[in-house]
Amino acid sequence: MNLFLLVFFLVYGGTHAYFFIKARGAFGFGPSIGAPLALFLALMALAPVLVRITERHGWEFTARFLAWTGYLWMGLLFFFFSASLAMDLFHLVLKGGGALLQRDPSLLIIGKRAAFGIAAAYAVLACLSSSMEAGHIRSRRIVIPTTKLPATIPKLTIAQISDVHLGLIVRKERLENILAKVREARPDIVVSTGDLVDGQINDLSALEKPLAELSPRYGKFAVTGNHEVYVGLDQAIAFTRRGGFTVLRGEGVTAGGVVNIAGVDDPATPSPPHAERNVLAGLPADRFTILLKHRPRIDGETVGRFDLQLSGHVHGGQLFPFGLLVRLSYPYMDGFYRLANGSALSVSRGSGTWGPPLRFLAPPEVTIIELIPFG
């Protein structure tokens, strides 16, 4: 976690420095403007930490204000940086090509002030668009034929929510929109694949009731994500259980005698109990087995021991083109994948947002899995 924070602030602080350099290059301001701007940028760079500190002290209004301000700024800065960096690379290619071809590319070079204006305009428009996209929850449906359903079950429907991040920004209205998609599918089972909770203040009680009111026939099951660990594992698990979920921490059950549901803790959990292979080994082999695992990592030792792994974590990249970098670490980033030995993996884009309340070319989803008899 400490290494993550160090890398995060080196990168995030660097993007703020980049913005300052671009602004000064475009407008040539002096200390009277530069000093307040630098102070604002420093405050925004520290906003994610300040949010957690104010949460921890119970200063809800301040924490909420800092969260909205700091994370919206994070989104704006990301879009500005992406557009400005693209123009920098474009200029670099022009100048390199001009030098090789002995041509003057100056007519194609965008001036510093115009380039800043283009990047800023793109950032604002992208934020507006991605704010609307973040609020539009979609259903993604997967149909899987299987021979492992009891003969009395013509179809089994599982609804997956993931990465909701209930906290300072994602509140009751967003949760109700998510749950509306779940109820629409009339699932037999509901699962949460981690990061349901992302708030430290004990004021989430109003969000327990909508979750608790979901009553699928064969139950609700959840696993931990890394953010449950960051905000307080015991508190997060207690909230999830009050929402009516059975939290699977290195254990498995046969829900209603119909389907196996196994779940493992996120690797961020201190000393996660029970290895994945041991959990799966104890389940009936003649039943369809679903493995709930927050991160879309595949354990080669267990492929073939489960039929379907449900994961989340990566949000489909959340903000394009950030997803291109995410894919380097998580090649299974979004969608349905066939694995070896009859196993499969489905990775949710997530139902909420982390950080900026924005999504750009990575719309939020509720995943609906339908198991039907084969043949």
Side-chain angles (χ1 to χ4, degrees), residues 161-166 170 175 178 192 194-197 350-353:
I161 60 174
S162 190
D163 302 274
V164 180
H165 290 277
L166 295 171
V170 180
L175 177 61
I178 293 167
S192 170
D195 287 1
L196 178 63
V197 180
S351 312
T353 55

Side-chain angles (χ1 to χ4, degrees), residues 33-338:
I33 294 177
L37 178 59
L39 182 62
F40 169 78
L41 294 175
L43 178 64
M44 289 297 98
L46 292 172
V49 170
L50 296 176
V51 167
R52 293 304 189 198
I53 292 172
T54 51
E55 270 193 299
R56 194 172 295 121
H57 285 83
W59 302 335
E60 183 176 351
F61 176 81
T62 304
R64 199 177 304 283
F65 175 80
L66 283 171
W68 276 101
T69 305
Y71 288 129
L72 281 173
W73 168 256
M74 182 186 286
L76 275 167
L77 182 65
F78 172 80
F79 289 128
F80 174 89
F81 177 79
S82 301
S84 187
L85 184 63
M87 284 187 283
D88 285 347
L89 294 174
F90 174 67
H91 290 160
L92 185 63
V93 170
L94 282 179
K95 290 175 181 178
L100 288 173
L101 300 173
Q102 296 184 340
R103 302 287 186 184
D104 181 9
S106 57
L107 288 176
L108 298 175
I109 299 294
I110 304 170
K112 290 182 179 180
R113 185 168 295 189
F116 186 92
I118 291 170
Y122 168 77
V124 171
L125 292 174
C127 268
L128 290 173
S129 172
S130 54
S131 176
M132 290 186 287
E133 185 173 325
H136 181 52
I137 312 296
R138 306 182 184 188
S139 295
R140 179 168 65 92
R141 193 171 299 273
I142 302 168
V143 179
I144 301 176
T146 177
T147 59
K148 295 182 179 180
L149 280 181
T152 56
I153 304 294
K155 181 177 72 172
L156 189 76
T157 303
I158 302 106
Q160 177 197 9
I161 60 174
S162 190
D163 302 274
V164 180
H165 290 277
L166 295 171
L168 292 169
I169 291 179
V170 180
R171 306 296 294 174
K172 189 174 182 179
E173 182 179 355
R174 182 68 58 84
L175 177 61
E176 288 286 7
N177 290 338
I178 293 167
L179 297 184
K181 290 295 183 184
V182 173
R183 288 190 291 267
E184 189 178 282
R186 303 180 67 183
D188 300 296
I189 295 170
V190 174
V191 299
S192 170
T193 47
D195 287 1
L196 178 63
V197 180
D198 195 10
Q200 293 175 320
I201 298 175
N202 295 314
D203 69 342
L204 299 179
S205 56
L207 306 180
E208 294 171 6
K209 186 179 178 182
L211 288 168
E213 287 174 345
L214 281 178
S215 54
R217 177 165 46 164
Y218 298 125
K220 299 183 293 188
F221 303 90
V223 291
T224 61
N226 52 309
H227 280 263
E228 272 92 358
V229 178
Y230 300 158
V231 303
L233 187 60
D234 291 341
Q235 171 183 299
I237 289 175
F239 170 85
T240 306
R241 286 174 174 159
R242 288 194 299 270
F245 287 87
T246 298
V247 182
L248 299 175
R249 306 191 62 198
E251 55 193 316
V253 297
T254 303
V258 174
V259 63
N260 296 329
I261 310 282
V264 292
D265 273 339
D266 185 79
T269 307
S271 304
H274 308 297
E276 183 178 315
R277 61 183 180 276
N278 295 336
V279 176
L280 293 169
L283 295 171
D286 62 338
R287 289 288 176 258
F288 192 93
T289 298
I290 298 172
L291 172 63
L292 307 182
K293 187 176 178 180
H294 181 58
R295 304 190 195 204
R297 302 280 194 202
I298 301 300
D299 184 343
E301 292 187 18
T302 63
V303 171
R305 298 189 185 187
F306 61 84
D307 296 285
L308 177 64
Q309 177 178 316
L310 296 178
S311 298
H313 184 60
V314 290
H315 297 211
Q318 188 163 323
L319 298 176
F320 180 84
F322 182 66
L324 299 177
L325 295 177
V326 174
R327 195 174 291 277
L328 296 177
S329 181
Y330 292 96
Y332 299 113
M333 196 177 77
D334 170 23
F336 184 79
Y337 305 89
R338 290 288 181 185

